[in-house]
Amino acid sequence: MILLPAIDLYEKKVVRLTRGDYAQMTVYNDDPVAQAKLFQDAGAQWLHTVDLEGAKDGSTPNYSVIEAICKDTNLKVEIGGGIRSLDTIARYLDAGVERVILGTKAVTDPAFLEESLDKFGSHIAVGVDIKDGKIAIKGWLETAQDSVEDFFTKLCKLGVSTVICTDVSKDGMLAGTNVDLYRQLSQKFSLDLIASGGVSSQEDLARLKALGLYGAILGKALYTGALDLKTALKEMEG
């Protein structure tokens, strides 16, 4: 199971939200590139990034930060947050990003998702954020019509290979991850599933690995010291 330390970006700083609430934001580092290098030094090979401003309005105000991380580290970077055009996808990939995550747009515009997959293949991942049993969109401010199961079925039919699944209620709470949710999804669907939200201990990681998940994203637990990245990588990827 691969581990992806997370950098959430707001005004070119490393921040974390609690349960997706922009009013509950903590700044952890003013220098995202330096933070990425710390993760790389600990042994990480992947980096999960989110442009929180982009998630709300579809812009790319933190593009230069992502570009700098790709240039100054050897990390495989995935980026999500407000990516709603083929041009934006191409721009990120040209900057050296490995995987672009489509969230809201993948839910609301299936034709765009299909076109993105046709053009960029496995460089496209889909972010499915689940809030109170429904799919949350637009920076977790609204919910979609499709049920979780119906949407995952559609993704499989379209040929999506990687899905980042976040339980919003767990995100930033350091209260454990939703193992039951990931068990159900991994049993029903043949996808590279990445768990996100609430991973806060080695026990959480061990339980996710036992499910055979492809990966897990580590966020607030790294910044508070609840998890040590070097130790986690050694145990999960070794």
Side-chain angles (χ1 to χ4, degrees):
M1 185 171 77
I2 66 167
L3 299 184
L4 301 91
I7 289 180
D8 288 1
L9 296 163
Y10 194 90
E11 296 180 347
K12 296 181 170 63
K13 295 177 182 177
V14 180
V15 306
R16 297 301 296 171
L17 305 182
T18 298
R19 297 180 74 176
D21 185 351
Y22 285 75
Q24 297 186 64
M25 184 184 297
T26 305
V27 177
Y28 282 103
N29 198 326
D30 291 333
D31 187 343
V33 178
Q35 184 64 59
K37 286 179 177 176
L38 288 174
F39 289 150
Q40 178 175 274
D41 290 345
Q45 295 184 39
W46 279 89
L47 180 70
H48 173 82
T49 63
V50 180
D51 187 329
L52 291 172
E53 291 161 281
K56 285 209 280 192
D57 60 21
S59 62
T60 57
N62 294 284
Y63 173 83
S64 62
V65 175
I66 298 299
E67 190 176 39
I69 290 172
C70 290
K71 182 171 172 251
D72 295 343
T73 75
N74 296 318
L75 294 164
K76 296 175 190 171
V77 178
E78 62 177 28
I79 172 74
I83 298 163
R84 295 168 197 172
S85 75
L86 295 174
D87 284 347
T88 302
I89 295 170
R91 206 166 151 236
Y92 274 127
L93 294 177
D94 286 345
V97 166
E98 179 69 24
R99 202 155 51 205
V100 173
I101 305 162
L102 303 180
T104 294
K105 189 76 170 172
V107 179
T108 60
D109 191 345
F112 173 74
L113 174 58
E114 194 165 1
E115 194 176 0
S116 301
L117 289 164
D118 285 345
K119 190 164 186 179
F120 303 109
S122 61
H123 290 292
I124 299 297
V126 174
V128 182
D129 301 336
I130 298 173
K131 188 176 185 179
D132 301 324
K134 296 179 179 177
I135 298 169
I137 56 173
K138 298 184 180 176
W140 300 347
L141 302 174
E142 298 177 24
T143 55
Q145 296 297 312
D146 271 350
S147 72
V148 173
E149 192 163 329
D150 286 348
F151 187 58
F152 267 82
T153 300
K154 287 180 183 178
L155 295 182
C156 289
K157 284 180 180 173
L158 284 172
V160 172
S161 57
T162 306
V163 172
I164 293 93
C165 184
T166 303
D167 181 348
V168 176
S169 68
K170 300 285 188 181
D171 193 65
M173 298 299 289
L174 295 178
T177 193
N178 193 339
V179 175
D180 288 340
L181 170 68
Y182 299 120
R183 180 183 294 110
Q184 290 168 23
L185 292 173
S186 63
Q187 286 174 349
K188 284 182 183 174
F189 302 103
S190 181
L191 291 159
D192 284 344
L193 190 63
I194 299 176
S196 170
V199 179
S200 55
S201 67
Q202 289 292 150
E203 288 75 21
D204 283 338
L205 289 172
R207 291 167 78 197
L208 293 173
K209 186 177 183 179
L211 299 178
L213 293 200
Y214 166 68
I217 291 168
L218 305 179
K220 194 171 185 178
L222 295 179
Y223 294 100
T224 61
L227 266 176
D228 176 69
L229 182 57
K230 199 169 188 177
T231 304
L233 285 163
K234 196 179 290 184
E235 292 194 14
M236 290 302 111
E237 296 186 349

